[in-house]
Amino acid sequence: MKIAFIARSTLYKVHGGITVQVLETAKYLRELGADVVIRLTDEKINYAEFDLLHFFDITRPANILYHIERTNKPFVLSPVLIDYSEYDKQHRRGIPGFILRMFSTDTNEYIKAVSRWFLRKDKLQSKKYLWKGQGRSIRYILEKAEMILPNSKKEYDQLKETYAVDKPYVVVPNGIDDRLFRPDNSALKDEKLVLCAARIEGVKNQLNLVKALNNTEYNLLLIGDVSPNQKEYYRHCREAASANIKFISRLPQEELLQYYRKVKVHILPSWFETCGLSSLEAAAMGCNIVITNKGFSREYFGDEALYCDPGDVESIYQTVHRAAGNPSQKNLQEKVLSNYTWRQAAIRTLEAYKKILPGINTGAFPGN
């Protein structure tokens, strides 16, 4: 079985959750016997080489349109559905914020895609996207897909409700590398040390987190690179930060371990989260988790995380305060290590492939 993973052109340049998802899923699929090749959307692809195409990130449908219009190869989709609308409409500043408050979510994503192309910040793979628009492009892709591989049931339900498309699906939760992120019972947790490991951008809401913990008893570590189009937002975060806030550029996962070992609380107060890979990693390392009440995260963390209102600075502070004072959530740690690993994600992904290509040899897959 030979699979082409096809992901956004900036997969390696702009490191984020999709980058980890693509690389780790591919790694473990290979260990299970599948031949997986990663291609970027702006590359020329010989589709005939592959049995199946696997696309990522429905929020940039022009990238996918380009390829599915050039081949009849079957394909699956990991949608990674992120809703930027609340941030765009209520909290984005300046002229972009003024414009985006006037339109629907899909229209806003269309405006952003065309703007990136016009300003030469990104490529627009399919010019048909210009007249199809965001919503019609997404619906077309969903209708053509053999199967959807959402990261949660809630994500699939949101796709179905928004785009009125009912497709076969297999839930493939995000995960961690459990060879790397293992409990360290000898580590001493600092109850006054709080970590947010995420790319610095408006939707991740670091500015409100800074305001919530400024000049408090907590020391906040913000670890992550600045999103390429969010340098002004980063400047606001730095200007707002008091002495107890520290900014650190993105670190390889191996180097993040030392911080996960030390901190008592990890927080992602985003305006929307599909899951939050750093939350899963931190939970596996014994941190207490604070996460946004927006998005699909509750399907992963249930009642074993604490949820804050990203728009309420006092809510963010009080939730961090509760998490710092609570005992470590060993149940959540065990839940993550038992249920949310990249090997398990790869097994579920391969199960989906077998439903689409039942006659294709999948090598070392259990049961073959």
Side-chain angles (χ1 to χ4, degrees), residues 202-218:
V203 75
K204 294 296 184 181
N205 200 32
Q206 285 97 342
L207 183 56
N208 273 357
L209 176 57
V210 165
K211 292 176 179 178
L213 297 189
N214 260 350
N215 297 309
T216 63
E217 66 271 40
Y218 298 102

Side-chain angles (χ1 to χ4, degrees), residues 147-290:
M147 187 174 288
I148 311 299
L149 307 183
N151 294 140
S152 66
K153 175 64 163 55
K154 288 184 178 180
E155 182 182 15
Y156 175 78
D157 291 343
Q158 186 65 58
L159 279 171
K160 183 178 177 181
E161 178 183 341
T162 304
Y163 298 104
V165 175
D166 189 1
K167 298 291 292 187
Y169 71 96
V170 171
V171 174
V172 180
N174 275 325
I176 63 163
D177 183 349
D178 59 340
R179 299 169 184 170
L180 183 62
F181 299 105
R182 301 295 301 176
D184 184 353
N185 295 325
S186 65
L188 296 176
K189 297 287 188 182
D190 185 342
E191 294 183 0
K192 301 303 181 185
L193 194 57
V194 178
L195 170 62
C196 174
R199 191 166 59 213
I200 297 179
E201 56 187 350
V203 75
K204 294 296 184 181
N205 200 32
Q206 285 97 342
L207 183 56
N208 273 357
L209 176 57
V210 165
K211 292 176 179 178
L213 297 189
N214 260 350
N215 297 309
T216 63
E217 66 271 40
Y218 298 102
N219 291 308
L220 172 64
L221 302 175
L222 295 169
I223 299 181
D225 283 342
V226 183
S227 187
N229 299 319
Q230 302 261 329
K231 293 180 181 178
E232 183 73 5
Y233 181 80
Y234 174 67
R235 184 177 67 80
H236 287 303
C237 291
R238 292 299 300 249
E239 289 176 350
S242 58
N244 63 317
I245 315 291
K246 185 176 182 180
F247 294 80
I248 301 172
S249 297
R250 184 184 72 84
L251 298 172
Q253 289 184 308
E254 293 80 3
E255 294 183 34
L256 268 177
L257 282 172
Q258 62 176 307
Y259 293 97
Y260 288 143
R261 289 190 183 103
K262 293 177 184 177
V263 304
K264 179 71 177 290
V265 178
H266 182 274
I267 179 170
L268 281 181
S270 314
W271 293 107
F272 192 92
E273 279 294 341
T274 56
C275 164
L277 295 185
S278 58
S279 294
L280 289 175
E281 292 166 358
M285 296 295 293
C287 302
N288 286 350
I289 302 303
V290 175

Side-chain angles (χ1 to χ4, degrees), residues 97-109:
F98 175 78
I99 294 172
L100 296 178
R101 279 190 283 275
M102 300 167 62
F103 301 103
S104 69
T105 299
D106 279 341
T107 301
N108 285 344
E109 292 306 315

Side-chain angles (χ1 to χ4, degrees), residues 285-336:
M285 296 295 293
C287 302
N288 286 350
I289 302 303
V290 175
I291 203 162
T292 180
N293 60 14
K294 311 283 186 179
F296 312 133
S297 298
R298 196 176 290 270
E299 190 166 321
Y300 285 77
F301 297 98
D303 295 330
E304 289 153 335
L306 296 177
Y307 299 87
C308 66
D309 178 350
D312 185 340
V313 170
E314 183 63 19
S315 168
I316 295 172
Y317 169 78
Q318 291 296 341
T319 312
V320 167
H321 189 63
R322 285 174 55 203
N326 284 350
S328 294
Q329 289 293 325
K330 298 297 184 184
N331 289 341
L332 179 58
Q333 184 180 50
E334 293 170 3
K335 178 180 180 181
V336 169

Side-chain angles (χ1 to χ4, degrees), residues 13-253:
K13 295 177 183 177
V14 183
H15 196 280
I18 290 180
T19 310
V20 178
Q21 181 179 349
V22 169
L23 296 180
E24 291 295 317
T25 306
K27 179 175 75 174
Y28 281 93
L29 278 170
R30 291 172 187 134
E31 290 187 8
L32 292 171
D35 184 359
V36 179
V37 178
I38 299 173
R39 293 284 186 261
L40 304 182
T41 53
D42 61 349
E43 293 181 27
K44 186 176 181 179
I45 299 173
N46 181 5
Y47 308 108
E49 293 181 16
F50 303 99
D51 300 302
L52 185 69
L53 310 180
H54 186 159
F55 292 98
F56 294 80
D57 191 2
I58 195 63
T59 58
R60 297 197 176 187
N63 295 338
I64 301 173
L65 279 177
Y66 174 85
H67 294 285
I68 67 174
E69 290 169 345
R70 284 162 174 76
T71 180
N72 290 320
K73 283 288 180 181
F75 72 90
V76 299
L77 171 69
S78 292
V80 196
L81 183 66
I82 299 176
D83 185 351
Y84 295 94
S85 60
E86 183 169 0
Y87 170 70
D88 284 338
K89 289 176 177 294
Q90 298 185 32
H91 307 284
R92 189 183 283 272
R93 300 185 179 198
I95 293 175
F98 175 78
I99 294 172
L100 296 178
R101 279 190 283 275
M102 300 167 62
F103 301 103
S104 69
T105 299
D106 279 341
T107 301
N108 285 344
E109 292 306 315
Y110 178 82
I111 291 170
K112 287 190 281 185
V114 173
S115 297
R116 288 191 297 265
W117 170 60
F118 184 76
L119 296 172
R120 298 184 178 182
K121 294 182 177 180
D122 200 358
K123 296 181 179 180
L124 191 70
Q125 291 296 111
S126 172
K127 299 304 185 288
K128 286 187 178 181
Y129 175 78
L130 292 173
W131 59 266
K132 273 184 174 290
Q134 181 82 358
R136 287 176 60 198
S137 296
I138 290 176
R139 189 175 293 109
Y140 177 78
I141 292 165
L142 292 172
E143 288 171 348
K144 292 289 185 181
E146 294 291 329
M147 187 174 288
I148 311 299
L149 307 183
N151 294 140
S152 66
K153 175 64 163 55
K154 288 184 178 180
E155 182 182 15
Y156 175 78
D157 291 343
Q158 186 65 58
L159 279 171
K160 183 178 177 181
E161 178 183 341
T162 304
Y163 298 104
V165 175
D166 189 1
K167 298 291 292 187
Y169 71 96
V170 171
V171 174
V172 180
N174 275 325
I176 63 163
D177 183 349
D178 59 340
R179 299 169 184 170
L180 183 62
F181 299 105
R182 301 295 301 176
D184 184 353
N185 295 325
S186 65
L188 296 176
K189 297 287 188 182
D190 185 342
E191 294 183 0
K192 301 303 181 185
L193 194 57
V194 178
L195 170 62
C196 174
R199 191 166 59 213
I200 297 179
E201 56 187 350
V203 75
K204 294 296 184 181
N205 200 32
Q206 285 97 342
L207 183 56
N208 273 357
L209 176 57
V210 165
K211 292 176 179 178
L213 297 189
N214 260 350
N215 297 309
T216 63
E217 66 271 40
Y218 298 102
N219 291 308
L220 172 64
L221 302 175
L222 295 169
I223 299 181
D225 283 342
V226 183
S227 187
N229 299 319
Q230 302 261 329
K231 293 180 181 178
E232 183 73 5
Y233 181 80
Y234 174 67
R235 184 177 67 80
H236 287 303
C237 291
R238 292 299 300 249
E239 289 176 350
S242 58
N244 63 317
I245 315 291
K246 185 176 182 180
F247 294 80
I248 301 172
S249 297
R250 184 184 72 84
L251 298 172
Q253 289 184 308

